Amino acid sequence: MSPRASQGYAALTLALGLALTACARETPAVAPSSEAAPGVITLTKNHGPLQVTPRLSLATGNFWPEDTDAGGREPTAALFIFDANLQPPSQQHVRVRAGQTVEAAGSVLEVSQVIDQGDDQRLRLKLRAP
């Protein structure tokens, strides 16, 4: 192999390594729950699914404001719910807003916050048994 071809492969390998390293440094899908708030799950836009129980995995995306019955607008998000116990495994898609409760996969999810501020798009849930 010529020295010029060898340099080309080395440059390609370096570029690929840098690209893969950048992907590995993406924002984590879930912010850790604090000791003060056990059972609180924070999902960030387009990351997941996160397994929260042996049966239940969650993901989120598609954040946008929607009209309310009171005439205002509030942020909403798509919540993707994966139930591993169903055969075949089931995926449910629910549009959620703060204050809403969703029952899925033997658990109750209380939506405490939907944050849609530019690049800061998060969904905060509290997981509890039914």
Side-chain angles (χ1 to χ4, degrees):
M1 180 180 302
S2 73
R4 178 172 248 158
S6 180
Q7 287 177 340
Y9 286 120
L12 180 62
T13 303
L14 177 62
L16 181 60
L18 290 173
L20 291 173
T21 301
C23 291
R25 290 190 207 162
E26 284 186 12
T27 307
V30 176
S33 297
S34 70
E35 294 295 322
V40 173
I41 301 162
T42 302
L43 299 168
T44 58
K45 178 185 176 190
N46 296 330
H47 288 119
L50 171 74
Q51 187 168 358
V52 295
T53 71
R55 178 177 175 182
L56 176 66
S57 296
L58 302 172
T60 191
N62 303 327
F63 287 75
W64 61 66
E66 288 189 1
D67 295 332
T68 65
D69 293 336
R73 290 180 68 75
E74 67 180 334
T76 63
L79 177 62
F80 301 96
I81 303 165
F82 304 91
D83 187 342
N85 279 8
L86 298 178
Q87 291 302 321
S90 169
Q91 176 184 338
Q92 181 182 4
H93 168 259
V94 181
R95 191 107 203 119
V96 296
R97 60 184 72 219
Q100 186 173 348
T101 302
V102 177
E103 291 186 37
S107 299
V108 175
L109 304 165
E110 296 176 11
V111 181
S112 57
Q113 271 185 314
V114 178
I115 299 167
D116 182 14
Q117 299 172 342
D119 288 339
D120 184 16
Q121 294 180 316
R122 292 176 281 143
L123 177 62
R124 188 160 289 140
L125 308 162
K126 183 164 186 167
L127 179 67
R128 62 181 172 89

